[in-house]
């Protein structure tokens, strides 16, 4: 088991866009193992590579007993007429939950370690997961997507908690 510590807001790796994976090396195989082991902790739905300090485009998930990973994910489809505004949290922003507007449906395409196609898609929590984790890989946190008043409140709470 290769559990890795979670990077917390303020760590520059969380604000740096991740690089695509161009070659499957032993290090990339270890990254996937670390992502799967670390997301397997109770209460975790998704985990992007930069949340464990690695700047490559990869994320893992653990929802309703389904665990998996995707390398070089790209959002290929999102609903444009239906939105959800559910409470969202983040391992890298511990203790804060705010409603975040997201498309109800999202689809990401990428590959696995053998170059086989991987699709992660769905409504509700699955759509939220796809958008949330790809935001991480692009250097964004969910609090960046909050409505202005909620964003101010989130940053106020962050200042008070540090």
């Amino acid at each position: 088991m290769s559990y890795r510590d979670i990077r917390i807001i303020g760590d520059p790796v969380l604000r740096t866009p991740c690089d695509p994976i161009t070659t499957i090396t032993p290090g990339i195989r270890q990254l996937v193992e670390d992502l799967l082991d670390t997301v397997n902790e109770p209460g975790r739905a998704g985990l992007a590579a930069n949340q464990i300090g690695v700047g490559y485009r990869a994320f893992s998930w653990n929802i309703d007993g389904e665990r998996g990973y995707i390398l070089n994910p790209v959002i290929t489809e999102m609903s444009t007429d239906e939105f959800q505004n559910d409470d969202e949290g983040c391992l890298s922003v511990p203790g804060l939950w705010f409603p975040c507007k997201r498309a109800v449906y999202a689809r990401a395409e990428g590959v696995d370690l053998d170059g086989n196609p991987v699709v992660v898609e769905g409504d509700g929590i699955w759509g939220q997961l796809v958008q949330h984790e790809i935001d991480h890989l692009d250097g964004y946190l969910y609090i960046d997507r909050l409505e202005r008043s909620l964003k101010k409140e989130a940053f106020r709470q962050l200042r008070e908690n540090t």
Side-chain angles (χ1 to χ4, degrees), residues 84-90 93 95-102 125 127-129 131-133 135-136 141-143 145-146:
Q84 56 189 337
N85 201 29
D86 297 331
D87 277 355
E88 199 164 316
C90 180
V93 188
L96 297 185
W97 290 84
F98 288 96
C100 185
K101 185 177 180 183
R102 301 273 190 190
I125 187 74
Q128 188 180 47
L129 168 91
Q131 294 166 81
H132 182 106
E133 300 309 328
D135 271 355
H136 273 299
L141 296 170
Y142 88 96
I143 58 176
R145 303 256 183 240
L146 298 178

Side-chain angles (χ1 to χ4, degrees), residues 43-58:
R44 296 184 175 177
L47 183 69
N50 56 348
Q51 290 183 276
I52 58 172
V54 180
Y56 283 116
R57 293 190 72 79

Side-chain angles (χ1 to χ4, degrees), residues 104-121:
V104 167
Y105 172 84
R107 174 187 175 99
E109 297 179 19
V111 296
D112 67 12
L113 288 168
D114 298 318
N116 299 313
V118 174
V119 174
V120 184
E121 68 180 326

Side-chain angles (χ1 to χ4, degrees), residues 5-98:
D5 290 333
I6 305 296
R7 301 295 178 97
I8 303 299
I9 188 169
D11 189 318
V13 73
L14 296 172
R15 296 300 194 169
T16 305
C18 294
D19 295 325
I21 296 167
T22 57
T23 306
I24 303 301
T25 64
I28 296 299
R29 290 184 184 283
Q30 184 64 54
L31 169 62
V32 168
E33 184 179 319
D34 294 351
L35 284 167
L36 289 169
D37 287 346
T38 305
V39 80
N40 204 36
E41 293 291 308
R44 296 184 175 177
L47 183 69
N50 56 348
Q51 290 183 276
I52 58 172
V54 180
Y56 283 116
R57 293 190 72 79
F59 74 81
S60 61
W61 64 87
N62 183 7
I63 297 177
D64 298 330
E66 183 179 333
R67 272 187 351 143
Y69 71 92
I70 187 170
L71 308 179
N72 295 328
V74 175
I75 292 179
T76 57
E77 189 179 346
M78 285 193 322
S79 58
T80 57
D81 57 345
E82 284 187 273
F83 298 93
Q84 56 189 337
N85 201 29
D86 297 331
D87 277 355
E88 199 164 316
C90 180
L91 299 170
S92 294
V93 188
L96 297 185
W97 290 84
F98 288 96

